[in-house]
Amino acid sequence: NGARDKAVLFLIPDDFEDSLEVPEDAPLEGGLKIFQGITFQEAQIASMRGTAEDFNRRGIPVAMLRFPKRDTASVFALMRVLMDMVAIKGRLQQLHIDPFTGQQKISDEDTYTQSGVEGYKRRMRENIVRAHR
């Protein structure tokens, strides 16, 4: 319900790598009977489309990014591309330049310093060291 200056990104695999389906004789009642006999992929696509349609109706921008299949290699490659996009966007916005000095500030570059992320990494390492003493 905030500013409409960002888009919600839907990630859609062309192949869910899953043949799971709701059995035709599943004991579903009422409005849930529509799920009998459909696959996980069909349910996920219907859910995604319904969410995107609702967002569009409310003026929330959406984008859909398709990728080959829902497997480790495809999802890893997709995440890598998205991480690279963040890095490139940060450079294009010159987030690596200190606005006051005009000097590069690689060690605490705003592109990579996300609230909670660096702190959790430090604390996670401390917890691991503490647990293995």
Side-chain angles (χ1 to χ4, degrees):
N1 290 325
R4 304 296 198 243
D5 61 348
K6 295 170 186 66
V8 174
L9 179 63
F10 289 92
L11 304 175
I12 309 164
D14 289 326
D15 181 357
F16 276 67
E17 293 261 308
D18 192 333
S19 60
L20 183 67
E21 68 179 53
V22 179
E24 289 285 347
D25 61 348
L28 301 174
E29 297 177 6
L32 295 178
K33 284 185 177 260
I34 63 169
F35 290 99
Q36 289 175 319
I38 70 167
T39 65
F40 171 72
Q41 181 167 338
E42 291 169 319
Q44 287 292 86
I45 289 172
S47 173
M48 178 275 308
R49 283 188 180 144
T51 304
E53 289 164 358
D54 186 60
F55 282 174
N56 279 328
R57 188 179 60 78
R58 297 167 184 261
I60 300 169
V62 300
M64 298 183 185
L65 178 61
R66 301 186 77 90
F67 62 102
K69 58 184 172 179
R70 192 186 71 167
D71 67 349
T72 304
S74 296
V75 172
F76 175 81
L78 176 61
M79 293 297 110
R80 179 61 204 216
V81 166
L82 294 173
M83 288 186 293
D84 289 347
M85 285 173 35
V86 168
I88 291 167
K89 180 180 181 288
R91 285 297 168 129
L92 292 173
Q93 290 178 305
Q94 296 192 348
L95 294 179
H96 64 295
I97 305 295
D98 185 306
F100 300 107
T101 66
Q103 302 294 311
Q104 283 195 355
K105 54 176 189 159
I106 300 299
S107 63
D108 63 344
E109 186 173 329
D110 289 339
T111 300
Y112 307 107
T113 49
Q114 305 163 52
S115 299
V117 174
E118 295 308 316
Y120 107 80
K121 289 178 187 176
R122 265 191 314 280
R123 305 249 169 10
M124 178 183 68
R125 288 182 180 95
E126 291 169 3
N127 290 333
I128 290 170
V129 168
R130 234 188 334 265
H132 289 93
R133 283 189 182 159

Short mmCIF file of all heavy atoms in Angstrom, two decimals, residues 86-97 111:
data_model
loop_
_atom_site.label_atom_id
_atom_site.label_comp_id
_atom_site.label_asym_id
_atom_site.label_seq_id
_atom_site.Cartn_x
_atom_site.Cartn_y
_atom_site.Cartn_z
N VAL A 86 21.41 -5.96 -9.70
CA VAL A 86 21.47 -5.04 -8.57
C VAL A 86 22.82 -4.32 -8.55
O VAL A 86 22.90 -3.11 -8.35
CB VAL A 86 21.23 -5.78 -7.23
CG1 VAL A 86 21.58 -4.90 -6.04
CG2 VAL A 86 19.79 -6.25 -7.14
N ALA A 87 23.91 -5.09 -8.79
CA ALA A 87 25.24 -4.49 -8.79
C ALA A 87 25.38 -3.46 -9.91
O ALA A 87 25.90 -2.36 -9.70
CB ALA A 87 26.30 -5.58 -8.95
N ILE A 88 24.90 -3.79 -11.09
CA ILE A 88 24.99 -2.86 -12.23
C ILE A 88 24.14 -1.61 -11.96
O ILE A 88 24.58 -0.49 -12.19
CB ILE A 88 24.56 -3.56 -13.53
CG1 ILE A 88 25.60 -4.62 -13.90
CG2 ILE A 88 24.35 -2.56 -14.66
CD1 ILE A 88 25.16 -5.58 -14.98
N LYS A 89 22.93 -1.81 -11.42
CA LYS A 89 22.07 -0.67 -11.10
C LYS A 89 22.75 0.24 -10.09
O LYS A 89 22.72 1.47 -10.22
CB LYS A 89 20.74 -1.17 -10.56
CG LYS A 89 19.77 -0.06 -10.19
CD LYS A 89 18.48 -0.66 -9.64
CE LYS A 89 17.48 0.39 -9.27
NZ LYS A 89 17.82 1.15 -8.07
N GLY A 90 23.39 -0.33 -9.08
CA GLY A 90 24.10 0.47 -8.08
C GLY A 90 25.21 1.29 -8.70
O GLY A 90 25.41 2.46 -8.35
N ARG A 91 25.93 0.69 -9.65
CA ARG A 91 26.99 1.44 -10.33
C ARG A 91 26.42 2.55 -11.20
O ARG A 91 26.94 3.67 -11.21
CB ARG A 91 27.85 0.51 -11.19
CG ARG A 91 28.80 -0.34 -10.39
CD ARG A 91 29.78 0.57 -9.68
NE ARG A 91 30.52 -0.17 -8.70
CZ ARG A 91 31.85 -0.14 -8.62
NH1 ARG A 91 32.55 0.59 -9.44
NH2 ARG A 91 32.44 -0.83 -7.69
N LEU A 92 25.36 2.25 -11.93
CA LEU A 92 24.75 3.27 -12.78
C LEU A 92 24.22 4.45 -11.96
O LEU A 92 24.22 5.59 -12.42
CB LEU A 92 23.64 2.67 -13.64
CG LEU A 92 24.11 1.69 -14.72
CD1 LEU A 92 22.91 1.02 -15.38
CD2 LEU A 92 24.99 2.38 -15.75
N GLN A 93 23.77 4.16 -10.75
CA GLN A 93 23.29 5.22 -9.86
C GLN A 93 24.43 5.86 -9.09
O GLN A 93 24.20 6.74 -8.27
CB GLN A 93 22.26 4.66 -8.88
CG GLN A 93 20.96 4.28 -9.53
CD GLN A 93 19.99 3.69 -8.52
OE1 GLN A 93 20.30 2.73 -7.82
NE2 GLN A 93 18.82 4.29 -8.44
N GLN A 94 25.63 5.37 -9.32
CA GLN A 94 26.85 5.86 -8.66
C GLN A 94 26.76 5.76 -7.14
O GLN A 94 27.23 6.65 -6.42
CB GLN A 94 27.18 7.28 -9.11
CG GLN A 94 27.50 7.34 -10.59
CD GLN A 94 28.09 8.66 -11.01
OE1 GLN A 94 28.09 9.64 -10.27
NE2 GLN A 94 28.63 8.69 -12.22
N LEU A 95 26.19 4.66 -6.65
CA LEU A 95 26.10 4.46 -5.21
C LEU A 95 27.46 4.15 -4.59
O LEU A 95 27.61 4.16 -3.38
CB LEU A 95 25.12 3.32 -4.88
CG LEU A 95 23.66 3.60 -5.24
CD1 LEU A 95 22.80 2.40 -4.89
CD2 LEU A 95 23.15 4.85 -4.56
N HIS A 96 28.46 3.90 -5.44
CA HIS A 96 29.81 3.64 -4.93
C HIS A 96 30.61 4.93 -4.75
O HIS A 96 31.76 4.91 -4.35
CB HIS A 96 30.55 2.68 -5.87
CG HIS A 96 30.79 3.25 -7.24
ND1 HIS A 96 29.77 3.56 -8.11
CD2 HIS A 96 31.94 3.59 -7.87
CE1 HIS A 96 30.27 4.04 -9.23
NE2 HIS A 96 31.59 4.07 -9.11
N ILE A 97 29.99 6.07 -5.01
CA ILE A 97 30.64 7.36 -4.85
C ILE A 97 30.05 8.07 -3.63
O ILE A 97 28.83 8.23 -3.52
CB ILE A 97 30.44 8.26 -6.10
CG1 ILE A 97 30.92 7.55 -7.36
CG2 ILE A 97 31.11 9.61 -5.91
CD1 ILE A 97 32.41 7.28 -7.41
N THR A 111 25.12 -0.17 -2.57
CA THR A 111 24.50 -1.21 -3.38
C THR A 111 24.39 -2.51 -2.59
O THR A 111 23.45 -3.26 -2.73
CB THR A 111 25.31 -1.47 -4.65
OG1 THR A 111 25.38 -0.26 -5.39
CG2 THR A 111 24.67 -2.55 -5.52
#
